[in-house]
Amino acid sequence: MSTPKNASANVSVLERIRGLAREVAKFGAVGGLGVLVNMGVFNLIRSTTDLQVVRASVIATVVAIASNYIGFRYFAYRDRANNSSHTRTRELVLFAAFSVIGLVIENGVLYTATYGLGWDGSLATNFFKFTGIGIATIFRFWSYRTWVFKALPTPAAASLVVEQRDGQAAATAPLAAEPAATPVR
């Protein structure tokens, strides 16, 4: 029975979709915890201090970024870990840089609503902080998976060169193939 040539391509696409769905779920779990930390610290600071809205939000975002790094490194992207010091330093620098951009996006929305539109009530600030987190999350997901926690390269399928004894050109076969029968002389 023969299989269609595109059957392996369909499996590959399906596997890629499943892998992306797993990645999104793990990112969402870590991010959901980060949102709780972010909103909790923000509201705690707002209720116990006289800090301005955006300053309280920046502090809360920094705390959430720190907790999120731990979750991303050791849960969501643990399969992409490379423990060399150069790679870890690069990862931390990129994570910090993209997190700062996300912080600016998140708190820019809150700043615009609070100081640009004058919506500074408790409900409004929580709504716009949450909206800013949502917008920044899209950026963070893309940047973290593309630049920070890059997938480790998959080893190329090794091939075995099989030379034929009667002088014909060499052929290549994947390692998973069954060994060729030895000709009887």
Side-chain angles (χ1 to χ4, degrees):
M1 178 175 179
S2 67
T3 55
K5 289 182 181 180
N6 65 357
S8 62
N10 289 340
V11 172
S12 176
V13 169
L14 186 58
E15 285 301 316
R16 289 178 70 191
I17 290 171
R18 285 183 181 149
L20 181 61
R22 281 189 299 272
E23 182 180 349
V24 168
K26 287 180 178 182
F27 187 92
V30 173
L33 182 61
V35 169
L36 292 175
V37 168
N38 198 334
M39 296 298 288
V41 171
F42 173 69
N43 284 299
L44 179 67
I45 291 172
R46 293 284 293 146
S47 66
T48 59
T49 69
D50 291 332
L51 278 178
Q52 296 174 345
V53 172
V54 176
R55 288 184 185 169
S57 180
V58 168
I59 292 168
T61 303
V62 169
V63 171
I65 287 169
S67 71
N68 282 354
Y69 178 77
I70 294 167
F72 289 136
R73 165 55 29 236
Y74 298 105
F75 174 67
Y77 295 112
R78 73 173 172 240
D79 59 323
R80 299 181 184 186
N82 186 338
N83 292 326
S84 72
S85 63
H86 171 71
T87 303
R88 189 57 57 106
T89 302
R90 178 189 164 284
E91 177 183 284
L92 280 168
V93 168
L94 287 174
F95 184 84
F98 288 120
S99 293
V100 166
I101 294 169
L103 180 144
V104 169
I105 293 168
E106 174 184 330
N107 291 292
V109 170
L110 181 61
Y111 180 89
T112 301
T114 303
Y115 300 110
L117 303 174
W119 295 332
D120 60 354
S122 179
L123 183 62
T125 55
N126 277 289
F127 173 79
F128 286 106
K129 174 143 181 75
F130 189 77
T131 301
I133 289 170
I135 295 168
T137 296
I138 295 167
F139 169 76
R140 287 180 178 126
F141 177 73
W142 169 80
S143 63
Y144 293 168
R145 78 181 306 262
T146 304
W147 299 100
V148 180
F149 303 108
K150 295 187 333 181
L152 296 174
T154 56
S159 44
L160 175 63
V161 175
V162 179
E163 293 184 30
Q164 299 200 5
R165 294 180 186 230
D166 58 351
Q168 293 179 359
T172 60
L175 281 179
E178 293 185 28
T182 307
V184 179
R185 292 186 179 205

